[in-house]
Amino acid sequence: MKAPFLDLGPQHRALRGEALAALAATYDATRFCLGKDVEDFERGFASSLGYPSALGVNSGTSALHIACMIAGFGPGDEIVVPPFTFIATAWGVTYVGARPVFADIEDGTFNLDPAALEAAITPRTKGVIVVHLFGLPARMDEIMAVARKHGLFVIEDCAQAVGARYKGAPAGLFGDAGTFSFYPTKNLGGCGEGGAFVSRRADVAAKARLIRVHGMEKRYHHGIVGGNFRLDGFQAAVLNVKLPHLPSWTARRRSIARSYLAGIRLEGARLPAVPAYGESVYHQFTITHPRRDALREHLAGCGIGTDLIYPLPLHLQRCFAGLGYGKGSFPAAERAAETCVSLPMFPELSDDQVHAVAEAVNAFR
Ligand SMILES: *Cc1c(COP(=O)(O)O)cnc(C)c1O
């Protein structure tokens, strides 16, 4: 039995009629940029996931950019970022002229190590971007304790963690701002680009709303520098169709993860950590193995798709060569990049496929 790494087909075939009807209604009403679909989505997203409010924006990258603008990061400021994440986690820092300062991850969870955060702090440190990587919340109590001690602005990159909870509360409500992505491959994906911004702070949420549309307080009056970060109506229309399914999709991801955790027994493999403090939404199910490339080849031979997420940490990317890091700077992130392999993980996988993935992993020699 084969299993692709990811197939967006089944979900979109199942929702085809409903999604196309929603898109037609948006088309007929010419609600193209913001408008009722976006407002409905913002309300539904916030109320179903437990946020005081939410703002639809045009990508997760934009949401992070907005957060860095609101934080007031700028030239001379250092912002701590984990090096094992998608590059966009660090882009906002760079866009506002501040400097990403990397701090290593924990081996078990792939998330920012609170001790490494503390060690990275200098008098110039103004903030930290925490990533809830692969859907597992980072250690927010410890991270917030360090952040409070040093007066840091905390941004939570929740692009992979929609629906994830830390000690019962939703990811994105611990720091000053939380950012989401609705890129099609994310747990809640649009049919194109999209993102959201949340904050427990009313002042931050209000400022994000202004920045989203050119810093416009009143029509054609611009009090602060903003941008064009609007979510489009078509994406919101599709997201409104998908949002009610998110709880069952998340439950299915967790059930697949439980099957993998119970069924995979491979010498030398490390499976995702299941800490008591957090409920992962398993955006990815990423394992590590010292002979990762051979394992991947074996799985490909069994018809099992895999991906490398992520093969090169941020501090070793050419775009950040100017920051002065090198190989050996962040051993845990480098170990993760060299040994990680992500297994098929999407709600439409069948039980037989999940079983076949585990069996194929176990058959590796
Ligand atoms: C996808 C992703 C982003 C960027 O989101 P886009 O909507 O693609 O701009 C940022 N951070 C992480 C961790 C992501 O996975």
Side-chain angles (χ1 to χ4, degrees):
M1 159 128 328
K2 294 184 178 195
F5 176 67
L6 174 65
D7 184 359
L8 295 178
Q11 180 173 112
H12 290 87
R13 278 193 291 278
L15 296 175
R16 187 175 189 276
E18 223 185 316
L20 292 186
L23 288 167
T26 303
Y27 183 95
D28 291 339
T30 68
R31 290 192 296 258
F32 301 134
C33 299
L34 298 182
K36 180 179 177 297
D37 304 280
V38 173
E39 288 159 21
D40 287 350
F41 175 66
E42 290 172 342
R43 262 193 306 276
F45 185 85
S47 68
S48 64
L49 293 166
Y51 301 106
S53 66
L55 204 66
V57 297
N58 55 359
S59 72
T61 304
S62 290
L64 286 158
H65 188 180
I66 293 168
C68 290
M69 290 170 78
I70 293 172
F73 300 155
D77 296 341
E78 297 179 353
I79 316 304
V80 179
V81 177
F84 189 64
T85 177
F86 182 55
I87 191 83
T89 300
W91 280 151
V93 174
T94 308
Y95 296 161
V96 297
R99 181 187 180 89
V101 168
F102 298 114
D104 214 350
I105 58 166
E106 303 176 316
D107 269 319
T109 64
F110 299 115
N111 280 329
L112 180 62
D113 179 348
L117 162 63
E118 178 126 54
I121 287 172
T122 75
R124 292 177 297 281
T125 308
K126 292 287 158 56
V128 56
I129 304 187
V130 183
V131 185
H132 306 302
L133 199 74
F134 304 148
L136 176 68
R139 287 182 197 280
M140 290 314 293
D141 281 349
E142 291 86 344
I143 288 168
M144 288 309 297
V146 175
R148 279 197 204 94
K149 188 161 126 196
H150 298 275
L152 307 182
F153 191 96
V154 178
I155 300 168
E156 296 178 62
D157 182 345
C158 308
Q160 305 184 359
V162 64
R165 291 179 163 263
Y166 174 85
K167 297 186 178 173
L173 271 192
F174 296 89
D176 299 279
T179 64
F180 294 86
S181 166
F182 307 124
Y183 186 73
T185 61
K186 299 291 158 82
N187 288 25
L188 177 63
C191 295
E193 308 285 349
F197 182 101
V198 302
S199 177
R200 64 181 163 78
R201 290 176 49 183
D203 61 326
V204 169
K207 198 155 184 192
R209 181 173 295 275
L210 279 182
I211 289 175
R212 175 173 67 170
V213 186
H214 304 291
M216 194 156 75
E217 288 157 348
K218 208 166 75 175
R219 200 164 162 74
Y220 300 131
H221 290 72
H222 310 269
I224 59 171
V225 173
N228 176 359
F229 299 118
R230 289 180 289 239
L231 180 63
D232 83 64
F234 286 130
Q235 295 314 321
V238 168
L239 290 167
N240 282 330
V241 169
K242 288 192 173 194
L243 185 63
H245 297 278
L246 184 61
S248 64
W249 290 338
T250 300
R252 177 62 185 155
R253 284 176 184 270
R254 286 176 172 153
S255 144
I256 294 168
R258 279 195 297 274
S259 299
Y260 283 162
L261 287 165
I264 296 177
R265 283 172 308 274
L266 173 63
E267 178 82 28
R270 187 205 285 264
L271 305 188
V274 188
Y277 59 74
E279 296 164 74
S280 178
V281 292
Y282 292 100
H283 174 60
Q284 300 295 347
F285 192 95
T286 300
I287 68 174
T288 63
H289 192 277
R291 290 191 297 127
R292 184 266 314 275
D293 293 335
L295 171 59
R296 265 198 101 190
E297 221 167 285
H298 159 80
L299 291 174
C302 303
I304 308 296
T306 60
D307 203 354
L308 298 188
I309 308 177
Y310 296 92
L312 188 66
L314 268 49
H315 68 282
L316 300 179
Q317 299 284 351
R318 198 154 53 82
C319 62
F320 287 142
L323 295 176
Y325 298 106
K327 214 158 164 56
S329 295
F330 302 105
E334 291 168 29
R335 255 192 316 276
E338 283 160 15
T339 61
C340 71
V341 53
S342 298
L343 302 181
M345 172 54 82
F346 57 97
E348 295 78 14
L349 281 171
S350 71
D351 288 344
D352 286 346
Q353 285 177 310
V354 173
H355 185 74
V357 172
E359 289 302 298
V361 171
N362 292 344
F364 177 59
R365 290 294 170 269

